[in-house]
Amino acid sequence: MMMRKVEAGFHVSKPYLFLSLNKLCLAIFLVFVESVVSSGANSIVLVVYEHLIAILVLSPLAFFLEKTKRPPITFKILSYAFLLGLLQVTLSQTLWTMSLQFVSSTYQSVAFNLIPCITFVFALIFHQEKLMFRSMNGQAKIWGLGISIGGALALLLWKGPVVVKAIIFDATSDSVIGWTLIFVGLLANGFGSVLMKHVIKMYPAEISLTALLVIFGTIQAALISAFVVSPFSWKLHFSRSVLLTLLLGGIGVAGLSNYVTTWAIHTRGPVFTASFNPLLVLFSFLLDTFVFRASTHLGSIVGALLVIAGLYLILWAKSNVIEKKEMVINRDGMDVPLIQP
């Protein structure tokens, strides 16, 4: 009896636990890749190498773990996987990595908090979300969206006094370029998350679909790099930091993190999955401030708090909707786990 309760509790907490660990892994990776890019490594080359490692990790897992559940791969699925690779890898990952030449990982992590807002808007457009203005959940979504956007604008437009001084000087180039790269990547990622929800219904094999989009994204990024990157840039100086960045990016972020995201979108939806991005602010702030001694301004703190408050209003509203759906399912006599493995 006790074991059943523990198992049921683990099933309930799985999406929260895995998505939180997912954001911690991404926050650590952002700090590492910022250091590697600032030392002269080419951002597109890093993306290609990381996703090559991810292919080596995901392909065997997809082959052995999804033998029985993997549907046949059709031309339609390959076309969707190509488009997902373009959105999630070629555009999102490449532009975000390039932006670290212009803004710090802390600012990038705060910008990532706009992903739930953008995903929510795309979900409304494609009728994956319903916005009921008169209900409490609908009001929470509206206020959450508005507060999040206000926090992002405060972060962008209001710098404020220095709260924590840097011991090591943290210099960046023109931040407008960095924010533009980030925002285009955010649009691609938000649309990709909504599209993923549609594709995963037709092809319910999360690891295999993730492997396919990573393969296509890697091919696309490699073809682009062939035109814009010099042959000399492919020769990385394999120091300890570069090796850790490639392994963490390939195995943790491009590999397992992408799979966790695909699985969470399948089980909980794109808006719920994207709502965990505020944790990036906390993790990146702690790493950047206390480990790498970067300066922290009042504007970034206030903006981050507003973004977090707004996004968790959206998360609260989504949780209420999910609970109501589960109550209806249980009332109809269907006894299914909250989260399917």
Side-chain angles (χ1 to χ4, degrees):
M1 187 68 179
M2 182 62 69
M3 288 300 297
R4 287 184 178 180
K5 289 184 178 180
V6 173
E7 185 178 352
F10 177 70
H11 277 297
V12 172
S13 62
K14 265 202 302 188
Y16 301 93
L17 175 63
F18 290 162
L19 287 172
S20 298
L21 293 175
N22 191 14
K23 299 310 169 187
L24 176 60
C25 179
L26 180 57
I28 297 173
F29 170 72
L30 288 177
V31 175
F32 272 103
V33 77
E34 179 189 2
S35 174
V36 172
V37 170
S38 62
S39 66
N42 186 278
S43 55
I44 303 180
V45 170
L46 285 177
V47 170
V48 174
Y49 281 146
E50 290 160 11
H51 286 81
L52 283 174
I53 296 174
I55 292 172
L56 296 178
V57 173
L58 291 172
S59 298
L61 292 176
F63 180 79
F64 290 107
L65 298 180
E66 293 183 337
K67 272 186 175 181
T68 57
K69 64 177 290 188
R70 182 171 55 246
I73 300 176
T74 63
F75 178 76
K76 185 177 183 180
I77 296 300
L78 288 177
S79 300
Y80 275 121
F82 179 89
L83 182 57
L84 286 170
L86 176 66
L87 295 169
Q88 303 282 42
V89 178
T90 309
L91 290 177
S92 298
Q93 298 296 329
T94 303
L95 292 177
W96 288 342
T97 305
M98 291 173 63
S99 71
L100 289 172
Q101 301 175 51
F102 308 99
V103 296
S104 70
S105 59
T106 302
Y107 277 91
Q108 190 186 73
S109 68
V110 176
F112 283 176
N113 290 317
L114 284 175
I115 290 177
C117 298
I118 295 172
T119 305
F120 181 61
V121 172
F122 277 123
L124 285 175
I125 294 172
F126 292 98
H127 305 290
Q128 291 187 10
E129 289 284 332
K130 293 181 179 180
L131 189 60
M132 295 173 286
F133 293 95
R134 296 183 179 180
S135 68
M136 184 178 296
N137 291 332
Q139 289 290 328
K141 290 178 182 179
I142 295 171
W143 279 103
L145 189 64
I147 293 172
S148 298
I149 294 174
L153 291 174
L155 174 72
L156 180 61
L157 301 176
W158 179 42
K159 191 173 184 181
V162 175
V163 177
V164 181
K165 290 186 177 180
I167 295 177
I168 300 175
F169 183 69
D170 185 24
T172 59
S173 301
D174 190 359
S175 60
V176 175
I177 299 176
W179 279 101
T180 302
L181 293 173
I182 291 174
F183 186 70
V184 175
L186 292 177
L187 290 176
N189 182 269
F191 180 62
S193 297
V194 173
L195 180 63
M196 176 68 76
K197 179 66 175 180
H198 173 70
V199 178
I200 200 70
K201 291 180 180 179
M202 298 185 294
Y203 195 79
E206 294 95 342
I207 307 178
S208 300
L209 182 59
T210 306
L212 284 173
L213 76 88
V214 169
I215 290 171
F216 279 118
T218 306
I219 294 172
Q220 293 164 11
L223 290 175
I224 292 173
S225 64
F227 293 97
V228 300
V229 176
S230 64
F232 178 77
S233 299
W234 289 93
K235 298 178 181 179
L236 297 178
H237 299 287
F238 283 97
S239 61
R240 181 180 298 180
S241 60
V242 172
L243 185 60
L244 284 174
T245 301
L246 290 177
L247 291 177
L248 181 60
I251 299 173
V253 177
L256 299 179
S257 177
N258 274 335
Y259 162 63
V260 168
T261 302
T262 304
W263 168 79
I265 290 174
H266 186 198
T267 56
R268 287 287 191 172
V271 176
F272 179 90
T273 303
S275 296
F276 280 80
N277 278 279
L279 290 177
L280 273 174
V281 178
L282 176 62
F283 295 142
S284 294
F285 173 79
L286 293 175
L287 288 170
D288 229 15
T289 302
F290 297 104
V291 178
F292 292 92
R293 311 291 186 180
S295 297
T296 303
H297 294 268
L298 181 62
S300 63
I301 295 176
V302 173
L305 290 175
L306 287 174
V307 169
I308 291 173
L311 292 175
Y312 276 104
L313 273 176
I314 298 175
L315 183 60
W316 174 80
K318 282 291 297 179
S319 298
N320 287 342
V321 173
I322 291 172
E323 287 178 4
K324 289 180 180 179
K325 288 181 179 178
E326 288 165 358
M327 290 175 63
V328 172
I329 292 174
N330 291 332
R331 191 164 57 241
D332 291 339
M334 296 176 62
D335 186 16
V336 296
L338 176 64
I339 299 297
Q340 297 286 351

